């Protein structure tokens, strides 16, 4: 699941960057910037809307990615984290950050 969320985040970031690059290339092309704002082509408007939409939607996968990365680093499940199972006592499954990161990636 962690890799799925990371892939989703990077895909949304790529689409956002591509849409912004397309809008910048249109703005620096044959159009005068003032004319582009007064009478923009449809592709410029679509690129700006897509870039704004993707930028706003980057924050959800980033938050989910951060939360699940924390769970992997501490070798906990979501249920253990929400119940506060190991707030007072030591987590017996925590083997350190390096081993915790190696564990889900190893075959």
């Amino acid at each position: 699941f962690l890799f799925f969320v990371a892939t989703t985040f990077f895909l949304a970031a790529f689409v956002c960057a591509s849409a912004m690059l397309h809008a910048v290339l249109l703005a620096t092309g044959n159009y005068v910037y003032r004319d582009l704002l007064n009478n923009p082509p449809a592709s410029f408007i679509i690129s700006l809307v897509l870039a704004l939409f993707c930028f706003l939607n980057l924050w959800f996968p980033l938050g989910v990615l951060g939360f699940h990365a924390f769970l992997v680093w501490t070798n906990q499940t979501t249920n253990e984290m929400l119940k506060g199972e190991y707030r007072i006592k030591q987590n017996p499954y925590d083997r350190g950050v390096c081993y915790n990161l190696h564990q889900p990636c190893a075959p």
Side-chain angles (χ1 to χ4, degrees), residues 19 23 42-57:
S43 61
F44 181 73
I45 294 172
I46 290 171
S47 293
L48 287 180
V49 168
L50 182 63
L52 179 65
F53 179 76
C54 287
F55 179 75
L56 293 176
N57 286 325

Side-chain angles (χ1 to χ4, degrees), residues 3 7 31 39-40 48 54-55 65-66 71-72 76 85 97 102 107:
F3 297 119
T7 304
Y31 300 99
N39 191 15
L48 287 180
C54 287
F55 179 75
L65 179 64
L71 290 178
V72 169
Q76 294 185 59
E85 194 79 23
V97 175
H102 179 265

Side-chain angles (χ1 to χ4, degrees), residues 26-99:
L26 277 177
T28 59
N30 295 332
Y31 300 99
V32 178
Y33 187 69
R34 182 179 38 221
D35 294 338
L36 191 62
L37 291 177
N38 291 336
N39 191 15
S43 61
F44 181 73
I45 294 172
I46 290 171
S47 293
L48 287 180
V49 168
L50 182 63
L52 179 65
F53 179 76
C54 287
F55 179 75
L56 293 176
N57 286 325
L58 276 176
W59 302 110
F60 177 71
L62 184 64
V64 172
L65 179 64
F67 176 69
H68 283 87
F70 172 75
L71 290 178
V72 169
W73 289 335
T74 58
N75 208 3
Q76 294 185 59
T77 63
T78 306
N79 192 28
E80 291 170 345
M81 172 67 184
L82 294 178
K83 281 185 173 180
E85 194 79 23
Y86 301 116
R87 286 190 187 150
I88 298 172
K89 58 183 177 179
Q90 181 69 25
N91 183 354
Y93 303 106
D94 189 9
R95 304 281 187 231
V97 175
C98 291
Y99 184 75

Side-chain angles (χ1 to χ4, degrees), residues 1-13 58 61-62 64-66 68-69:
F1 183 73
L2 184 68
F3 297 119
F4 168 73
V5 173
T7 304
T8 304
F9 170 73
F10 288 123
L11 179 64
L58 276 176
L62 184 64
V64 172
L65 179 64
H68 283 87

Side-chain angles (χ1 to χ4, degrees), residues 8-27:
T8 304
F9 170 73
F10 288 123
L11 179 64
F14 176 74
V15 170
C16 182
S18 297
M20 287 190 297
L21 179 65
H22 184 258
V24 166
L25 289 176
L26 277 177

